[in-house]
Amino acid sequence: MSEPMKITYKIYLEAEDVSQSRILSTTSYFTNLFKNCTNYYLQSAEIDDECDMEDFTLRLYVEETIEEEVCSHQEEAKAFLGDMAEFLDAIAMAQSYLDMEGSFSIFYEGVEEEYTFESEAGKDFCDFFDQQEKGE
């Protein structure tokens, strides 16, 4: 018996004074990372490309909400939090010149967890913050 499931995530990537070739390669990397991800709930993400090649500014956004009355991919829903954390760390490691921030959450099988994250330019990892611990 499967239960309802809701996943949300928001990812914001930004950098200024970036070469056009780096903007293109980062956009390609980010897009391919989603497409080739093993978690079904990350594969379908729509990327909002706000990059400005003439201004040498990179801005990529993803905002997704996935709600299912009956969870269609139970194992992937259960693995979502860990997969998302690995996914974000992979971006931070490969593209450490970016400022990255956002949030992700899941409600499934009576469990509700929400996290925010950030990675400042020059860091090759993400800091994660459990929103229940902060009392938010």
Side-chain angles (χ1 to χ4, degrees), residues 103-125:
S103 62
F104 57 100
S105 66
I106 187 166
F107 176 78
Y108 182 57
E109 294 185 331
V111 174
E112 187 169 3
E113 293 190 58
E114 181 179 357
Y115 296 89
T116 58
F117 63 89
E118 64 182 36
S119 178
E120 296 173 8
K123 290 170 110 177
D124 62 353
F125 62 91

mmCIF file of all heavy atoms in Angstrom, residues 103-125:
data_model
loop_
_atom_site.group_PDB
_atom_site.id
_atom_site.type_symbol
_atom_site.label_atom_id
_atom_site.label_comp_id
_atom_site.label_asym_id
_atom_site.label_seq_id
_atom_site.Cartn_x
_atom_site.Cartn_y
_atom_site.Cartn_z
ATOM 1 N N SER A 103 16.422 25.064 -1.120
ATOM 2 C CA SER A 103 15.780 24.221 -0.113
ATOM 3 C C SER A 103 15.230 22.968 -0.782
ATOM 4 O O SER A 103 15.045 22.933 -2.004
ATOM 5 C CB SER A 103 14.656 24.986 0.577
ATOM 6 O OG SER A 103 13.657 25.352 -0.368
ATOM 7 N N PHE A 104 14.965 21.959 0.034
ATOM 8 C CA PHE A 104 14.294 20.765 -0.458
ATOM 9 C C PHE A 104 13.552 20.109 0.698
ATOM 10 O O PHE A 104 13.933 20.252 1.854
ATOM 11 C CB PHE A 104 15.261 19.791 -1.140
ATOM 12 C CG PHE A 104 16.422 19.332 -0.308
ATOM 13 C CD1 PHE A 104 16.413 18.091 0.328
ATOM 14 C CD2 PHE A 104 17.561 20.119 -0.182
ATOM 15 C CE1 PHE A 104 17.501 17.655 1.072
ATOM 16 C CE2 PHE A 104 18.651 19.687 0.566
ATOM 17 C CZ PHE A 104 18.617 18.451 1.192
ATOM 18 N N SER A 105 12.457 19.433 0.360
ATOM 19 C CA SER A 105 11.652 18.800 1.393
ATOM 20 C C SER A 105 10.930 17.583 0.833
ATOM 21 O O SER A 105 10.766 17.444 -0.388
ATOM 22 C CB SER A 105 10.623 19.790 1.954
ATOM 23 O OG SER A 105 9.682 20.129 0.961
ATOM 24 N N ILE A 106 10.498 16.737 1.749
ATOM 25 C CA ILE A 106 9.696 15.575 1.387
ATOM 26 C C ILE A 106 8.685 15.313 2.486
ATOM 27 O O ILE A 106 8.970 15.500 3.672
ATOM 28 C CB ILE A 106 10.560 14.321 1.126
ATOM 29 C CG1 ILE A 106 9.680 13.171 0.584
ATOM 30 C CG2 ILE A 106 11.317 13.917 2.376
ATOM 31 C CD1 ILE A 106 10.470 12.018 -0.002
ATOM 32 N N PHE A 107 7.502 14.929 2.071
ATOM 33 C CA PHE A 107 6.484 14.413 2.974
ATOM 34 C C PHE A 107 6.073 13.065 2.399
ATOM 35 O O PHE A 107 5.554 12.988 1.287
ATOM 36 C CB PHE A 107 5.266 15.349 3.052
ATOM 37 C CG PHE A 107 4.170 14.784 3.899
ATOM 38 C CD1 PHE A 107 4.249 14.842 5.282
ATOM 39 C CD2 PHE A 107 3.058 14.187 3.322
ATOM 40 C CE1 PHE A 107 3.240 14.293 6.081
ATOM 41 C CE2 PHE A 107 2.053 13.639 4.109
ATOM 42 C CZ PHE A 107 2.141 13.696 5.487
ATOM 43 N N TYR A 108 6.381 12.002 3.143
ATOM 44 C CA TYR A 108 6.087 10.658 2.652
ATOM 45 C C TYR A 108 6.082 9.684 3.816
ATOM 46 O O TYR A 108 6.947 9.774 4.690
ATOM 47 C CB TYR A 108 7.137 10.239 1.608
ATOM 48 C CG TYR A 108 6.901 8.875 1.000
ATOM 49 C CD1 TYR A 108 5.705 8.578 0.365
ATOM 50 C CD2 TYR A 108 7.865 7.893 1.065
ATOM 51 C CE1 TYR A 108 5.480 7.333 -0.191
ATOM 52 C CE2 TYR A 108 7.652 6.640 0.505
ATOM 53 C CZ TYR A 108 6.451 6.369 -0.120
ATOM 54 O OH TYR A 108 6.231 5.125 -0.667
ATOM 55 N N GLU A 109 5.100 8.811 3.823
ATOM 56 C CA GLU A 109 4.961 7.790 4.866
ATOM 57 C C GLU A 109 5.008 8.390 6.270
ATOM 58 O O GLU A 109 5.676 7.880 7.166
ATOM 59 C CB GLU A 109 6.012 6.683 4.707
ATOM 60 C CG GLU A 109 5.841 5.869 3.447
ATOM 61 C CD GLU A 109 6.803 4.701 3.343
ATOM 62 O OE1 GLU A 109 7.932 4.782 3.891
ATOM 63 O OE2 GLU A 109 6.418 3.714 2.713
ATOM 64 N N GLY A 110 4.308 9.507 6.441
ATOM 65 C CA GLY A 110 4.220 10.136 7.755
ATOM 66 C C GLY A 110 5.451 10.906 8.178
ATOM 67 O O GLY A 110 5.496 11.465 9.264
ATOM 68 N N VAL A 111 6.467 10.951 7.331
ATOM 69 C CA VAL A 111 7.697 11.674 7.646
ATOM 70 C C VAL A 111 7.710 12.974 6.844
ATOM 71 O O VAL A 111 7.434 12.975 5.647
ATOM 72 C CB VAL A 111 8.941 10.830 7.290
ATOM 73 C CG1 VAL A 111 10.210 11.639 7.487
ATOM 74 C CG2 VAL A 111 8.966 9.557 8.113
ATOM 75 N N GLU A 112 8.002 14.063 7.516
ATOM 76 C CA GLU A 112 8.129 15.349 6.836
ATOM 77 C C GLU A 112 9.474 15.945 7.219
ATOM 78 O O GLU A 112 9.743 16.165 8.399
ATOM 79 C CB GLU A 112 6.994 16.285 7.239
ATOM 80 C CG GLU A 112 6.973 17.553 6.440
ATOM 81 C CD GLU A 112 5.696 18.361 6.652
ATOM 82 O OE1 GLU A 112 4.850 17.965 7.464
ATOM 83 O OE2 GLU A 112 5.584 19.397 5.995
ATOM 84 N N GLU A 113 10.320 16.149 6.218
ATOM 85 C CA GLU A 113 11.644 16.720 6.470
ATOM 86 C C GLU A 113 11.887 17.845 5.480
ATOM 87 O O GLU A 113 11.552 17.729 4.310
ATOM 88 C CB GLU A 113 12.732 15.656 6.325
ATOM 89 C CG GLU A 113 12.663 14.586 7.400
ATOM 90 C CD GLU A 113 13.887 13.690 7.389
ATOM 91 O OE1 GLU A 113 15.005 14.213 7.536
ATOM 92 O OE2 GLU A 113 13.692 12.473 7.214
ATOM 93 N N GLU A 114 12.497 18.914 5.987
ATOM 94 C CA GLU A 114 12.791 20.072 5.141
ATOM 95 C C GLU A 114 14.182 20.594 5.480
ATOM 96 O O GLU A 114 14.546 20.709 6.647
ATOM 97 C CB GLU A 114 11.760 21.171 5.370
ATOM 98 C CG GLU A 114 11.990 22.387 4.509
ATOM 99 C CD GLU A 114 10.943 23.468 4.718
ATOM 100 O OE1 GLU A 114 9.992 23.265 5.494
ATOM 101 O OE2 GLU A 114 11.105 24.534 4.121
ATOM 102 N N TYR A 115 14.931 20.905 4.446
ATOM 103 C CA TYR A 115 16.296 21.401 4.606
ATOM 104 C C TYR A 115 16.510 22.621 3.723
ATOM 105 O O TYR A 115 15.924 22.729 2.647
ATOM 106 C CB TYR A 115 17.318 20.329 4.199
ATOM 107 C CG TYR A 115 17.272 19.103 5.076
ATOM 108 C CD1 TYR A 115 16.419 18.048 4.769
ATOM 109 C CD2 TYR A 115 18.065 19.011 6.210
ATOM 110 C CE1 TYR A 115 16.356 16.933 5.588
ATOM 111 C CE2 TYR A 115 18.008 17.891 7.032
ATOM 112 C CZ TYR A 115 17.153 16.859 6.715
ATOM 113 O OH TYR A 115 17.089 15.755 7.528
ATOM 114 N N THR A 116 17.371 23.505 4.179
ATOM 115 C CA THR A 116 17.895 24.557 3.320
ATOM 116 C C THR A 116 19.375 24.271 3.151
ATOM 117 O O THR A 116 19.971 23.504 3.915
ATOM 118 C CB THR A 116 17.696 25.963 3.927
ATOM 119 O OG1 THR A 116 18.334 26.020 5.190
ATOM 120 C CG2 THR A 116 16.221 26.303 4.050
ATOM 121 N N PHE A 117 19.966 24.873 2.126
ATOM 122 C CA PHE A 117 21.387 24.648 1.887
ATOM 123 C C PHE A 117 21.991 25.889 1.272
ATOM 124 O O PHE A 117 21.301 26.739 0.711
ATOM 125 C CB PHE A 117 21.608 23.442 0.956
ATOM 126 C CG PHE A 117 21.026 23.625 -0.408
ATOM 127 C CD1 PHE A 117 21.764 24.209 -1.430
ATOM 128 C CD2 PHE A 117 19.729 23.230 -0.677
ATOM 129 C CE1 PHE A 117 21.219 24.399 -2.683
ATOM 130 C CE2 PHE A 117 19.167 23.414 -1.929
ATOM 131 C CZ PHE A 117 19.915 23.995 -2.941
ATOM 132 N N GLU A 118 23.317 25.980 1.389
ATOM 133 C CA GLU A 118 24.052 27.050 0.720
ATOM 134 C C GLU A 118 25.488 26.603 0.490
ATOM 135 O O GLU A 118 26.029 25.783 1.222
ATOM 136 C CB GLU A 118 24.012 28.348 1.517
ATOM 137 C CG GLU A 118 24.691 28.272 2.860
ATOM 138 C CD GLU A 118 24.583 29.577 3.642
ATOM 139 O OE1 GLU A 118 23.540 30.249 3.563
ATOM 140 O OE2 GLU A 118 25.560 29.901 4.326
ATOM 141 N N SER A 119 26.042 27.138 -0.556
ATOM 142 C CA SER A 119 27.455 26.937 -0.861
ATOM 143 C C SER A 119 27.949 28.245 -1.460
ATOM 144 O O SER A 119 27.463 28.683 -2.490
ATOM 145 C CB SER A 119 27.639 25.790 -1.863
ATOM 146 O OG SER A 119 29.011 25.645 -2.172
ATOM 147 N N GLU A 120 28.867 28.876 -0.775
ATOM 148 C CA GLU A 120 29.404 30.150 -1.252
ATOM 149 C C GLU A 120 30.505 29.896 -2.264
ATOM 150 O O GLU A 120 31.169 28.862 -2.238
ATOM 151 C CB GLU A 120 29.957 30.951 -0.071
ATOM 152 C CG GLU A 120 28.899 31.344 0.930
ATOM 153 C CD GLU A 120 29.493 31.986 2.177
ATOM 154 O OE1 GLU A 120 30.713 32.251 2.192
ATOM 155 O OE2 GLU A 120 28.740 32.206 3.131
ATOM 156 N N ALA A 121 30.696 30.862 -3.144
ATOM 157 C CA ALA A 121 31.769 30.772 -4.133
ATOM 158 C C ALA A 121 33.081 30.498 -3.413
ATOM 159 O O ALA A 121 33.369 31.078 -2.366
ATOM 160 C CB ALA A 121 31.862 32.060 -4.937
ATOM 161 N N GLY A 122 33.862 29.581 -3.947
ATOM 162 C CA GLY A 122 35.137 29.228 -3.350
ATOM 163 C C GLY A 122 35.068 28.001 -2.453
ATOM 164 O O GLY A 122 36.091 27.444 -2.073
ATOM 165 N N LYS A 123 33.855 27.582 -2.099
ATOM 166 C CA LYS A 123 33.682 26.365 -1.298
ATOM 167 C C LYS A 123 33.364 25.216 -2.242
ATOM 168 O O LYS A 123 32.626 25.393 -3.204
ATOM 169 C CB LYS A 123 32.522 26.520 -0.308
ATOM 170 C CG LYS A 123 32.773 27.473 0.832
ATOM 171 C CD LYS A 123 31.485 27.714 1.575
ATOM 172 C CE LYS A 123 31.477 27.103 2.934
ATOM 173 N NZ LYS A 123 30.222 27.419 3.669
ATOM 174 N N ASP A 124 33.885 24.039 -1.934
ATOM 175 C CA ASP A 124 33.576 22.889 -2.790
ATOM 176 C C ASP A 124 32.667 21.899 -2.065
ATOM 177 O O ASP A 124 32.736 20.700 -2.252
ATOM 178 C CB ASP A 124 34.848 22.207 -3.295
ATOM 179 C CG ASP A 124 35.693 21.651 -2.166
ATOM 180 O OD1 ASP A 124 35.368 21.894 -0.985
ATOM 181 O OD2 ASP A 124 36.681 20.961 -2.479
ATOM 182 N N PHE A 125 31.791 22.423 -1.194
ATOM 183 C CA PHE A 125 30.811 21.602 -0.490
ATOM 184 C C PHE A 125 29.601 22.464 -0.141
ATOM 185 O O PHE A 125 29.649 23.687 -0.240
ATOM 186 C CB PHE A 125 31.414 20.998 0.784
ATOM 187 C CG PHE A 125 31.853 22.032 1.785
ATOM 188 C CD1 PHE A 125 30.996 22.480 2.783
ATOM 189 C CD2 PHE A 125 33.130 22.574 1.721
ATOM 190 C CE1 PHE A 125 31.401 23.438 3.687
ATOM 191 C CE2 PHE A 125 33.554 23.539 2.632
ATOM 192 C CZ PHE A 125 32.676 23.977 3.614
#
